[in-house]
Amino acid sequence: MFSRLAFLKRIKAPNGGTYNLRKATTTTTTTTTLSAVLPEQPVGFRFFASQIARRTSCFKPWPKGDYVGSFRKMSTTAGIGMAKNEEGLKLVLVNGGSRARKMVGIWLFGSAAWVFSMVLLGGVTRLTRSGLSMTDWKFTGSLPPLSEEEWLREFDKYKQSPEYKRINKGMSIEDFKFIYWMEYAHRMWGRALGVMFALPFSYFLRKGYITLGLGLRLSALFALGAGQGLIGWWMVKSGLEEPASEYAQPRVSPYRLAAHLTSAFAIYCGLFWTALSVVMPEPPAESVAWVRGAAKVKRLALPVGILVAITAVSGAFVAGNDAGHAYNTFPKMGDTWIPEDVLDMKPLIRNFFENTSTVQVLILS
């Protein structure tokens, strides 16, 4: 149809002129237009022109203006609509409207806050040296000692550990109860988080609020959280082994401690980011100043995030190596700015993870 109309827009006359038949809508009006515009033509040409006008009289007249521009505009509008629709499909993580999105968002923000409190409680457990007070581990957990006999039984288990023999020898039962309760609270707080996460997750799945993309993401975070218990026990178990030297203090592996802390931060960041994606599927683009400010923050977010991650992980190695006890002066480390033994270990890479001087230099810098 368009090729015919394009042909009709320009017909060359025998004398070199050009005739525009675009506005012709019927045979009668077209013939009149031709007779009024064209000079006297041969019979054959007049017959050819009338046949063309008769064949095209079934087409409706085009609106004023170039039809090519109209179609280009319609195509552009459709493309924009499709892009918006595709973008919306990518951003929708929760079904059920704003109320469902609000409920899921509150649940995810609450879970992220719970993980953050777990990190704080783990830090307190570390500072009070309570992490090695429980010498066994069960995935489902167990009741704490409720009778004096049960407390004495747990205390006897702890007396067999290297920490008691080399650091806490002669500890009273009351002091043992304190560190036991700290570690027990840390473990049970993590298990409670798992229950608090799983129950609402099952409810929202049953209600159909969770989309496939969000469900896969939350399932991965839940699996990582369940693995945290295994990583924690793997870390504690390294502290229950006899140190290589009789003069060394028993402590958990700095590598395992760093893995435990890093996975906790990964779960927290994943939950917090997902919660933001649920409650704010797209930024409020009405404000140009807001969009510009968000762009500036985005450029800074990645380098700042990397710097924070390196600092946090290096802190885990400082704690795992008890490097803070080696140099407790600032800004100098002892009598020098940089100790002489920062690169003593071989191979060289070991210094950044096991050398107390090197990890202390990294955390201070």
Side-chain angles (χ1 to χ4, degrees):
M1 182 179 73
F2 296 136
S3 60
R4 289 186 180 183
L5 293 175
F7 173 73
L8 288 175
K9 287 177 64 178
R10 183 169 292 183
I11 300 179
K12 292 188 179 290
N15 59 358
T18 302
Y19 307 103
N20 187 358
L21 302 181
R22 184 177 172 188
K23 296 183 180 181
T25 57
T26 63
T27 305
T28 305
T29 57
T30 304
T31 306
T32 304
T33 304
L34 287 170
S35 60
V37 177
L38 296 176
E40 188 68 24
Q41 303 295 340
V43 176
F45 179 78
R46 290 201 302 271
F47 174 78
F48 173 71
S50 63
Q51 288 297 316
I52 292 176
R54 182 176 63 82
R55 288 175 181 273
T56 59
S57 62
C58 60
F59 298 116
K60 293 183 180 180
W62 291 95
K64 210 168 186 180
D66 191 0
Y67 69 86
V68 177
S70 301
F71 269 93
R72 185 179 292 120
K73 181 178 180 181
M74 182 173 66
S75 175
T76 304
T77 305
I80 294 174
M82 290 175 65
K84 288 183 177 179
N85 187 35
E86 290 177 359
E87 183 180 1
L89 289 175
K90 291 180 181 178
L91 291 174
V92 172
L93 295 176
V94 176
N95 299 319
S98 59
R99 182 175 179 274
R101 190 164 59 245
K102 182 178 179 181
M103 293 173 61
V104 174
I106 293 174
W107 164 58
L108 291 176
F109 277 123
S111 299
W114 199 308
V115 173
F116 187 77
S117 68
M118 278 286 300
V119 175
L120 294 180
L121 184 57
V124 175
T125 304
R126 174 74 187 176
L127 290 174
T128 56
R129 305 189 69 93
S130 306
L132 301 178
S133 59
M134 298 179 66
T135 56
D136 54 7
W137 181 81
K138 294 180 181 178
F139 185 79
T140 57
S142 60
L143 293 175
L146 300 177
S147 64
E148 195 65 24
E149 292 181 1
E150 291 178 349
W151 275 114
L152 292 174
R153 191 181 305 119
E154 292 295 326
F155 193 26
D156 289 337
K157 293 180 183 179
Y158 178 68
K159 287 180 179 180
Q160 305 303 316
S161 67
E163 184 180 65
Y164 177 84
K165 294 176 181 179
R166 300 195 182 191
I167 300 176
N168 293 331
K169 193 173 183 64
M171 171 184 281
S172 66
I173 185 67
E174 297 300 325
D175 292 335
F176 170 73
K177 287 181 180 180
F178 172 78
I179 62 174
Y180 187 96
W181 278 119
M182 290 296 302
E183 175 63 12
Y184 185 83
H186 182 57
R187 296 187 184 187
M188 296 308 296
W189 195 244
R191 293 185 175 94
L193 171 61
V195 174
M196 192 277 291
F197 187 88
L199 291 180
F201 187 28
S202 302
Y203 171 77
F204 292 138
L205 281 175
R206 184 179 179 84
K207 296 288 289 186
Y209 293 163
I210 306 295
T211 61
L212 177 61
L214 181 60
L216 293 175
R217 189 187 306 186
L218 295 179
S219 298
L221 290 172
F222 182 74
L224 187 58
Q228 264 292 75
L230 297 174
I231 296 175
W233 171 243
W234 179 57
M235 176 192 69
V236 169
K237 192 175 180 181
S238 65
L240 298 176
E241 299 172 355
E242 289 289 342
S245 171
E246 60 178 342
Y247 302 104
Q249 291 187 355
R251 59 192 182 198
V252 299
S253 167
Y255 297 100
R256 301 184 187 186
L257 176 61
H260 192 48
L261 181 63
T262 303
S263 59
F265 275 122
I267 296 171
Y268 170 76
C269 293
L271 287 172
F272 192 75
W273 184 269
T274 304
L276 288 176
S277 301
V278 167
V279 300
M280 293 180 61
E282 57 184 7
E286 297 83 3
S287 174
V288 178
W290 194 97
V291 174
R292 290 176 178 173
K296 292 180 181 179
V297 173
K298 185 177 181 180
R299 286 194 296 268
L300 294 174
L302 182 60
V304 171
I306 294 175
L307 183 62
V308 171
I310 293 174
T311 304
V313 174
S314 62
F317 283 100
V318 170
N321 289 287
D322 286 334
H325 294 167
Y327 299 97
N328 54 7
T329 58
F330 184 83
K332 287 186 176 183
M333 299 178 65
D335 296 330
T336 61
W337 290 98
I338 298 178
E340 297 179 356
D341 59 343
V342 290
L343 300 177
D344 280 358
M345 289 187 173
K346 304 297 179 184
L348 184 65
I349 192 65
R350 287 183 57 197
N351 292 280
F352 298 95
F353 305 105
E354 301 177 28
N355 191 324
T356 56
S357 299
T358 308
V359 295
Q360 187 77 331
V361 168
L362 292 176
I363 195 66
L364 290 176
S365 58

